[in-house]
Short mmCIF file of all heavy atoms in Angstrom, two decimals:
data_model
loop_
_atom_site.label_atom_id
_atom_site.label_comp_id
_atom_site.label_asym_id
_atom_site.label_seq_id
_atom_site.Cartn_x
_atom_site.Cartn_y
_atom_site.Cartn_z
N GLY B 1 34.00 -36.83 -57.78
CA GLY B 1 33.45 -37.60 -56.69
C GLY B 1 32.17 -37.05 -56.11
O GLY B 1 31.29 -37.81 -55.69
N ASN B 2 32.03 -35.71 -56.08
CA ASN B 2 30.87 -35.10 -55.44
C ASN B 2 30.73 -33.65 -55.90
O ASN B 2 31.62 -33.10 -56.56
CB ASN B 2 30.99 -35.18 -53.91
CG ASN B 2 32.33 -34.64 -53.42
OD1 ASN B 2 32.67 -33.50 -53.66
ND2 ASN B 2 33.09 -35.49 -52.74
N ARG B 3 29.62 -33.04 -55.51
CA ARG B 3 29.36 -31.66 -55.92
C ARG B 3 30.30 -30.66 -55.26
O ARG B 3 30.55 -29.59 -55.82
CB ARG B 3 27.90 -31.29 -55.64
CG ARG B 3 26.93 -31.90 -56.64
CD ARG B 3 25.49 -31.50 -56.38
NE ARG B 3 24.60 -32.04 -57.40
CZ ARG B 3 24.08 -31.33 -58.40
NH1 ARG B 3 24.36 -30.03 -58.51
NH2 ARG B 3 23.28 -31.90 -59.29
N ALA B 4 30.81 -30.98 -54.08
CA ALA B 4 31.78 -30.08 -53.44
C ALA B 4 33.02 -29.92 -54.30
O ALA B 4 33.59 -28.82 -54.39
CB ALA B 4 32.15 -30.60 -52.06
N GLN B 5 33.44 -30.98 -54.97
CA GLN B 5 34.59 -30.87 -55.87
C GLN B 5 34.25 -30.01 -57.09
O GLN B 5 35.11 -29.27 -57.58
CB GLN B 5 35.04 -32.26 -56.30
CG GLN B 5 35.68 -33.07 -55.18
CD GLN B 5 36.21 -34.40 -55.65
OE1 GLN B 5 35.67 -35.03 -56.56
NE2 GLN B 5 37.30 -34.86 -55.04
N VAL B 6 33.03 -30.10 -57.56
CA VAL B 6 32.60 -29.23 -58.67
C VAL B 6 32.73 -27.77 -58.26
O VAL B 6 33.27 -26.93 -59.00
CB VAL B 6 31.16 -29.55 -59.09
CG1 VAL B 6 30.74 -28.66 -60.26
CG2 VAL B 6 31.01 -31.01 -59.47
N THR B 7 32.26 -27.45 -57.06
CA THR B 7 32.35 -26.08 -56.55
C THR B 7 33.80 -25.63 -56.43
O THR B 7 34.15 -24.49 -56.77
CB THR B 7 31.64 -25.98 -55.19
OG1 THR B 7 30.27 -26.35 -55.35
CG2 THR B 7 31.72 -24.57 -54.63
N SER B 8 34.67 -26.53 -55.97
CA SER B 8 36.09 -26.19 -55.81
C SER B 8 36.76 -25.83 -57.14
O SER B 8 37.73 -25.07 -57.16
CB SER B 8 36.84 -27.35 -55.15
OG SER B 8 36.38 -27.58 -53.84
N LEU B 9 36.25 -26.39 -58.22
CA LEU B 9 36.84 -26.15 -59.54
C LEU B 9 36.20 -24.98 -60.28
O LEU B 9 36.61 -24.65 -61.40
CB LEU B 9 36.71 -27.40 -60.41
CG LEU B 9 37.54 -28.61 -59.99
CD1 LEU B 9 37.17 -29.82 -60.85
CD2 LEU B 9 39.03 -28.33 -60.11
N ALA B 10 35.21 -24.33 -59.68
CA ALA B 10 34.42 -23.32 -60.39
C ALA B 10 35.28 -22.20 -60.96
O ALA B 10 35.08 -21.78 -62.11
CB ALA B 10 33.34 -22.76 -59.46
N ASP B 11 36.21 -21.67 -60.17
CA ASP B 11 37.04 -20.56 -60.65
C ASP B 11 37.91 -21.00 -61.82
O ASP B 11 38.05 -20.27 -62.81
CB ASP B 11 37.92 -20.02 -59.52
CG ASP B 11 37.13 -19.24 -58.48
OD1 ASP B 11 35.96 -18.88 -58.76
OD2 ASP B 11 37.66 -19.02 -57.37
N LEU B 12 38.50 -22.18 -61.73
CA LEU B 12 39.35 -22.67 -62.81
C LEU B 12 38.53 -22.91 -64.07
O LEU B 12 38.99 -22.64 -65.19
CB LEU B 12 40.05 -23.96 -62.39
CG LEU B 12 40.97 -24.60 -63.44
CD1 LEU B 12 42.09 -23.65 -63.85
CD2 LEU B 12 41.55 -25.91 -62.90
N VAL B 13 37.32 -23.42 -63.92
CA VAL B 13 36.44 -23.63 -65.07
C VAL B 13 36.21 -22.31 -65.80
O VAL B 13 36.34 -22.22 -67.03
CB VAL B 13 35.10 -24.25 -64.63
CG1 VAL B 13 34.07 -24.19 -65.76
CG2 VAL B 13 35.31 -25.70 -64.19
N ALA B 14 35.89 -21.25 -65.04
CA ALA B 14 35.65 -19.94 -65.65
C ALA B 14 36.92 -19.39 -66.29
O ALA B 14 36.89 -18.85 -67.41
CB ALA B 14 35.12 -18.98 -64.59
N GLU B 15 38.07 -19.53 -65.61
CA GLU B 15 39.33 -19.05 -66.15
C GLU B 15 39.71 -19.77 -67.44
O GLU B 15 40.42 -19.21 -68.29
CB GLU B 15 40.45 -19.25 -65.12
CG GLU B 15 40.33 -18.36 -63.89
CD GLU B 15 41.27 -18.79 -62.79
OE1 GLU B 15 42.10 -19.71 -63.04
OE2 GLU B 15 41.17 -18.25 -61.67
N SER B 16 39.22 -20.98 -67.60
CA SER B 16 39.53 -21.79 -68.78
C SER B 16 38.56 -21.54 -69.93
O SER B 16 38.63 -22.23 -70.96
CB SER B 16 39.51 -23.29 -68.41
OG SER B 16 40.48 -23.57 -67.41
N GLY B 17 37.68 -20.56 -69.76
CA GLY B 17 36.75 -20.21 -70.83
C GLY B 17 35.58 -21.16 -70.95
O GLY B 17 34.95 -21.26 -72.00
N LEU B 18 35.26 -21.85 -69.86
CA LEU B 18 34.20 -22.85 -69.85
C LEU B 18 33.10 -22.44 -68.88
O LEU B 18 33.29 -21.56 -68.04
CB LEU B 18 34.76 -24.22 -69.45
CG LEU B 18 35.93 -24.75 -70.26
CD1 LEU B 18 36.55 -25.96 -69.56
CD2 LEU B 18 35.48 -25.12 -71.68
N GLN B 19 31.98 -23.11 -68.98
CA GLN B 19 30.93 -22.93 -68.00
C GLN B 19 30.32 -24.28 -67.65
O GLN B 19 30.23 -25.18 -68.49
CB GLN B 19 29.84 -22.00 -68.52
CG GLN B 19 29.11 -22.48 -69.76
CD GLN B 19 28.02 -21.52 -70.21
OE1 GLN B 19 27.91 -20.42 -69.70
NE2 GLN B 19 27.22 -21.95 -71.17
N VAL B 20 29.94 -24.41 -66.38
CA VAL B 20 29.25 -25.62 -65.94
C VAL B 20 27.80 -25.52 -66.41
O VAL B 20 27.06 -24.65 -65.96
CB VAL B 20 29.31 -25.78 -64.42
CG1 VAL B 20 28.46 -26.99 -63.98
CG2 VAL B 20 30.75 -25.95 -63.95
N ARG B 21 27.43 -26.40 -67.29
CA ARG B 21 26.07 -26.38 -67.84
C ARG B 21 25.11 -27.23 -67.02
O ARG B 21 23.96 -26.87 -66.83
CB ARG B 21 26.11 -26.86 -69.29
CG ARG B 21 24.77 -26.93 -69.99
CD ARG B 21 24.22 -25.54 -70.28
NE ARG B 21 22.99 -25.61 -71.03
CZ ARG B 21 22.92 -25.66 -72.37
NH1 ARG B 21 24.04 -25.65 -73.08
NH2 ARG B 21 21.77 -25.71 -72.98
N GLU B 22 25.62 -28.38 -66.52
CA GLU B 22 24.75 -29.29 -65.78
C GLU B 22 25.61 -30.26 -64.99
O GLU B 22 26.68 -30.65 -65.42
CB GLU B 22 23.85 -30.06 -66.75
CG GLU B 22 22.85 -30.99 -66.08
CD GLU B 22 22.01 -31.78 -67.08
OE1 GLU B 22 22.14 -31.54 -68.31
OE2 GLU B 22 21.24 -32.64 -66.63
N THR B 23 25.12 -30.63 -63.81
CA THR B 23 25.76 -31.65 -62.99
C THR B 23 24.75 -32.74 -62.67
O THR B 23 23.63 -32.44 -62.24
CB THR B 23 26.32 -31.06 -61.68
OG1 THR B 23 27.27 -30.05 -61.98
CG2 THR B 23 27.01 -32.13 -60.84
N ARG B 24 25.12 -33.99 -62.89
CA ARG B 24 24.23 -35.12 -62.62
C ARG B 24 24.83 -35.99 -61.53
O ARG B 24 26.01 -36.32 -61.56
CB ARG B 24 24.01 -35.94 -63.89
CG ARG B 24 23.34 -35.17 -65.01
CD ARG B 24 23.13 -36.05 -66.25
NE ARG B 24 22.52 -35.29 -67.35
CZ ARG B 24 22.24 -35.80 -68.55
NH1 ARG B 24 22.51 -37.08 -68.80
NH2 ARG B 24 21.69 -35.04 -69.48
N ASP B 25 23.99 -36.37 -60.57
CA ASP B 25 24.43 -37.17 -59.42
C ASP B 25 24.18 -38.65 -59.66
O ASP B 25 23.11 -39.04 -60.16
CB ASP B 25 23.69 -36.73 -58.17
CG ASP B 25 24.01 -35.31 -57.77
OD1 ASP B 25 25.05 -35.10 -57.13
OD2 ASP B 25 23.23 -34.40 -58.11
N TYR B 26 25.15 -39.47 -59.24
CA TYR B 26 25.03 -40.92 -59.30
C TYR B 26 25.48 -41.49 -57.96
O TYR B 26 26.04 -40.77 -57.12
CB TYR B 26 25.86 -41.48 -60.45
CG TYR B 26 25.39 -41.01 -61.80
CD1 TYR B 26 25.85 -39.80 -62.33
CD2 TYR B 26 24.44 -41.72 -62.52
CE1 TYR B 26 25.39 -39.34 -63.55
CE2 TYR B 26 23.98 -41.27 -63.75
CZ TYR B 26 24.45 -40.07 -64.25
OH TYR B 26 23.99 -39.60 -65.47
N GLU B 27 25.24 -42.76 -57.76
CA GLU B 27 25.53 -43.37 -56.46
C GLU B 27 27.01 -43.27 -56.10
O GLU B 27 27.36 -43.11 -54.93
CB GLU B 27 25.10 -44.83 -56.49
CG GLU B 27 25.28 -45.55 -55.15
CD GLU B 27 24.80 -46.98 -55.18
OE1 GLU B 27 24.20 -47.39 -56.20
OE2 GLU B 27 25.00 -47.69 -54.18
N ARG B 28 27.89 -43.33 -57.10
CA ARG B 28 29.32 -43.38 -56.80
C ARG B 28 30.10 -42.19 -57.36
O ARG B 28 31.33 -42.24 -57.43
CB ARG B 28 29.91 -44.68 -57.33
CG ARG B 28 29.29 -45.92 -56.69
CD ARG B 28 30.00 -47.18 -57.08
NE ARG B 28 31.37 -47.21 -56.58
CZ ARG B 28 32.20 -48.24 -56.74
NH1 ARG B 28 31.78 -49.31 -57.38
NH2 ARG B 28 33.42 -48.20 -56.26
N GLY B 29 29.41 -41.14 -57.75
CA GLY B 29 30.12 -39.98 -58.25
C GLY B 29 29.18 -39.02 -58.95
O GLY B 29 27.96 -39.19 -58.92
N VAL B 30 29.75 -37.98 -59.55
CA VAL B 30 28.96 -37.01 -60.30
C VAL B 30 29.58 -36.83 -61.68
O VAL B 30 30.78 -37.06 -61.87
CB VAL B 30 28.88 -35.64 -59.58
CG1 VAL B 30 28.24 -35.78 -58.21
CG2 VAL B 30 30.26 -34.98 -59.47
N LEU B 31 28.75 -36.43 -62.63
CA LEU B 31 29.20 -36.07 -63.97
C LEU B 31 28.85 -34.62 -64.20
O LEU B 31 27.74 -34.17 -63.89
CB LEU B 31 28.51 -36.95 -65.02
CG LEU B 31 28.79 -38.44 -64.94
CD1 LEU B 31 27.99 -39.19 -66.02
CD2 LEU B 31 30.28 -38.76 -65.07
N VAL B 32 29.81 -33.90 -64.78
CA VAL B 32 29.66 -32.46 -64.99
C VAL B 32 29.80 -32.15 -66.47
O VAL B 32 30.80 -32.53 -67.09
CB VAL B 32 30.72 -31.67 -64.20
CG1 VAL B 32 30.43 -30.18 -64.25
CG2 VAL B 32 30.82 -32.15 -62.76
N ARG B 33 28.83 -31.46 -67.01
CA ARG B 33 28.92 -31.00 -68.40
C ARG B 33 29.54 -29.62 -68.42
O ARG B 33 29.07 -28.68 -67.78
CB ARG B 33 27.54 -30.96 -69.05
CG ARG B 33 27.55 -30.36 -70.46
CD ARG B 33 26.16 -30.34 -71.06
NE ARG B 33 26.14 -29.56 -72.29
CZ ARG B 33 25.05 -29.36 -73.02
NH1 ARG B 33 23.90 -29.90 -72.66
NH2 ARG B 33 25.11 -28.62 -74.13
N LEU B 34 30.65 -29.49 -69.18
CA LEU B 34 31.36 -28.21 -69.33
C LEU B 34 31.23 -27.78 -70.79
O LEU B 34 31.59 -28.54 -71.69
CB LEU B 34 32.83 -28.37 -68.96
CG LEU B 34 33.14 -28.88 -67.56
CD1 LEU B 34 34.63 -29.07 -67.38
CD2 LEU B 34 32.60 -27.92 -66.50
N ASP B 35 30.75 -26.58 -71.00
CA ASP B 35 30.53 -26.09 -72.37
C ASP B 35 31.44 -24.91 -72.70
O ASP B 35 31.81 -24.13 -71.81
CB ASP B 35 29.08 -25.62 -72.55
CG ASP B 35 28.10 -26.77 -72.72
OD1 ASP B 35 28.55 -27.93 -72.66
OD2 ASP B 35 26.91 -26.50 -72.92
N ARG B 36 31.78 -24.80 -73.97
CA ARG B 36 32.39 -23.57 -74.48
C ARG B 36 31.39 -22.91 -75.41
O ARG B 36 30.82 -23.57 -76.30
CB ARG B 36 33.69 -23.88 -75.26
CG ARG B 36 34.35 -22.60 -75.80
CD ARG B 36 35.58 -22.89 -76.64
NE ARG B 36 36.63 -23.53 -75.87
CZ ARG B 36 37.36 -22.90 -74.96
NH1 ARG B 36 37.15 -21.63 -74.67
NH2 ARG B 36 38.33 -23.55 -74.33
N ALA B 37 31.19 -21.62 -75.22
CA ALA B 37 30.22 -20.89 -76.03
C ALA B 37 30.64 -20.90 -77.49
O ALA B 37 31.84 -20.90 -77.83
CB ALA B 37 30.07 -19.47 -75.53
N ARG B 38 29.65 -20.90 -78.37
CA ARG B 38 29.95 -20.78 -79.80
C ARG B 38 30.47 -19.40 -80.11
O ARG B 38 30.07 -18.41 -79.50
CB ARG B 38 28.68 -21.06 -80.62
CG ARG B 38 28.20 -22.51 -80.51
CD ARG B 38 26.96 -22.75 -81.36
NE ARG B 38 26.49 -24.12 -81.21
CZ ARG B 38 26.91 -25.15 -81.92
NH1 ARG B 38 27.80 -24.96 -82.88
NH2 ARG B 38 26.42 -26.35 -81.71
N SER B 39 31.34 -19.32 -81.09
CA SER B 39 31.93 -18.02 -81.47
C SER B 39 30.85 -17.11 -82.06
O SER B 39 29.95 -17.58 -82.77
CB SER B 39 33.04 -18.22 -82.49
OG SER B 39 34.07 -19.02 -81.95
#
């Protein structure tokens, strides 16, 4: 829904072996790109 929710999930994202690569804002929500590093 918003960037505050992205921030709230930051620890879980890291614990899951992921990283937030980019967040894009739209009128009715946000999209978050989550990446896993190549081996």
Side-chain angles (χ1 to χ4, degrees):
N2 52 58
R3 284 182 177 256
Q5 290 184 327
V6 181
T7 300
S8 295
L9 291 173
D11 288 345
L12 179 60
V13 168
E15 291 168 7
S16 300
L18 305 168
Q19 61 179 9
V20 175
R21 179 70 176 273
E22 183 182 356
T23 301
R24 298 181 182 179
D25 295 278
Y26 297 87
E27 183 178 354
R28 299 188 65 177
V30 300
L31 298 178
V32 189
R33 174 180 170 181
L34 303 176
D35 282 3
R36 180 183 297 288
R38 293 181 182 273
S39 299

